[in-house]
Amino acid sequence: MADKNGETFFTRAGPTRAALALCKSLPPAPAEALIRVITRVLVTVKPDNYRGASDNLHHMLPDGTSEREHQRTLYRLFYHAAKSYYYLFHNLAYSNDPRTFRPSVLMTDDVRRFVVEAVKTGRGLFIAGSHTSNFDLAGIAMTQYLPKPVQVLS
């Protein structure tokens, strides 16, 4: 719900600053528990971004998807979005240097070998992925593994 200035909870600077301060100092295990609580609150309160995500999912999920599976998918969407923001803010506590970034998801050796071999062809490499919350995190994480610079398009 918007306030008198048309801002919602998610467009105000205060919550973002509070999240940044908390995520910088909170270790991953307690953060995981907090993320689950925050996600449960979001899917219970159903703010505007929840309704938008729910409407979008009706177009993304296969016909005949049960309401239970729809709600489960929404929970996972908000859970992973919150988790990716936690890792973004948590990593910012240490450095703005991408070389010190500690990705939450590690590239497997098989994928790393595939990428290195593809880059060796000299033709470049195009990696496509969904934009579910933080493609910028993926780009920063990829710089840890790739032998070439990364460009992100959205």
Side-chain angles (χ1 to χ4, degrees):
M1 177 165 272
D3 66 12
K4 64 182 179 181
N5 298 320
E7 291 187 334
T8 66
F9 178 81
F10 293 99
T11 60
R12 294 184 198 128
T16 302
R17 283 193 205 107
L20 178 59
L22 181 64
C23 293
K24 280 184 169 185
S25 59
L26 197 61
E32 177 74 24
L34 182 60
I35 288 166
R36 289 182 188 282
V37 169
I38 290 170
T39 303
R40 183 56 54 204
V41 169
L42 285 172
V43 300
T44 301
V45 173
K46 297 179 175 59
D48 290 338
N49 59 345
Y50 174 92
R51 289 179 189 78
S54 180
D55 290 345
N56 286 340
L57 276 181
H58 284 297
H59 301 288
M60 303 290 294
L61 295 173
D63 290 338
T65 299
S66 70
E67 185 60 24
R68 183 175 184 206
E69 183 60 25
H70 183 87
Q71 296 301 319
R72 185 172 170 261
T73 303
L74 278 166
Y75 176 88
R76 289 192 327 247
L77 179 124
F78 281 97
Y79 165 79
H80 288 293
K83 191 171 181 178
S84 64
Y85 277 109
Y86 163 75
Y87 278 104
L88 172 65
F89 291 161
H90 190 70
N91 276 292
L92 287 174
Y94 298 100
S95 173
N96 288 329
D97 183 350
R99 293 172 295 184
T100 63
F101 184 82
R102 293 174 295 168
S104 57
V105 177
L106 301 177
M107 186 182 291
T108 65
D109 290 338
D110 289 342
V111 172
R112 186 177 297 118
R113 277 193 297 276
F114 176 81
V115 169
V116 167
E117 289 302 314
V119 169
K120 283 182 184 177
T121 67
R123 297 182 310 205
L125 177 63
F126 183 81
I127 300 174
S130 63
H131 174 64
T132 55
S133 53
N134 279 325
F135 63 88
D136 50 342
L137 279 179
I140 294 169
M142 294 288 279
T143 64
Q144 302 298 308
Y145 304 111
L146 300 179
K148 298 285 183 181
V150 174
Q151 292 183 344
V152 176
L153 304 173
S154 65

